[in-house]
Amino acid sequence: MTIISLERAADTLPADFPALEADAKADGHAHMTRLVAEFATDRTMFHAIFTCHLDGRLAGIGAITNEPAPAPVPMWRMRRSYVHRDYRRRKVARAIANALLQEVAGKVATVTVHAANAGAVRFWEAMGFTEVDGQPWSHQAHLPIPEPAGGP
């Protein structure tokens, strides 16, 4: 039986992160290296970072920050998401994305992503994100913001 374990990264990235970064580089992606640099210089930019381990190995990671592009209202962006090639199609990305969406709940109404390839487009659309044009992000999802408790 495969055991999926999600953990919130706080003060450090996981000790086995270099293997995930190496896999991303070998797969032609530099965003794990950018994650290391951003985490080292400004950890507070991340509202949350979740890691996913499968059977004790780091299988994936994902983070959420403020939307870095100018936006008409506060928005958060899912970013720095990557699943090791050996663990794709095993619900790792979905588990990380769901954890990040739970983090957003009640804080902002719009979450954005930049889907850089056809596989990412399919994934984010399956997660309920819709394509947008004319923005620095490719897709967004609208989440309900609960009404304040109490009445007039």
Side-chain angles (χ1 to χ4, degrees):
M1 174 181 215
T2 300
I3 308 256
I4 293 178
S5 171
L6 280 176
E7 292 181 22
R8 184 185 191 108
D11 295 330
T12 62
L13 292 173
D16 47 355
F17 182 81
L20 188 69
E21 182 183 9
D23 185 72
K25 284 181 184 176
D27 200 23
H29 303 287
H31 64 299
M32 292 295 95
T33 301
R34 287 193 299 273
L35 172 61
V36 171
E38 291 166 343
F39 194 79
T41 58
D42 186 11
R43 236 171 253 167
T44 62
M45 75 181 279
F46 298 99
H47 295 293
I49 298 174
F50 282 96
T51 61
C52 182
H53 285 79
L54 246 63
D55 298 328
R57 279 191 64 204
L58 181 61
I61 195 166
I64 195 161
T65 66
N66 288 337
E67 168 54 52
V73 295
M75 299 178 180
W76 287 6
R77 182 181 286 196
M78 301 271 221
R79 53 198 320 206
R80 307 298 180 244
S81 296
Y82 186 75
V83 175
H84 191 287
R85 289 177 289 174
D86 292 347
Y87 294 101
R88 293 185 185 159
R89 304 249 182 252
R90 295 176 69 184
K91 302 190 186 307
V92 171
R94 182 171 294 277
I96 293 168
N98 281 330
L100 291 169
L101 286 171
Q102 286 179 7
E103 192 68 29
V104 172
K107 296 177 180 146
V108 296
T110 305
V111 178
T112 66
V113 297
H114 178 71
N117 59 56
V121 166
R122 285 189 303 276
F123 172 76
W124 290 114
E125 289 177 355
M127 290 294 300
F129 285 71
T130 56
E131 187 175 6
V132 294
D133 293 320
Q135 298 295 340
W137 54 89
S138 65
H139 290 73
Q140 63 189 30
H142 296 288
L143 307 172
I145 296 287
E147 294 295 321

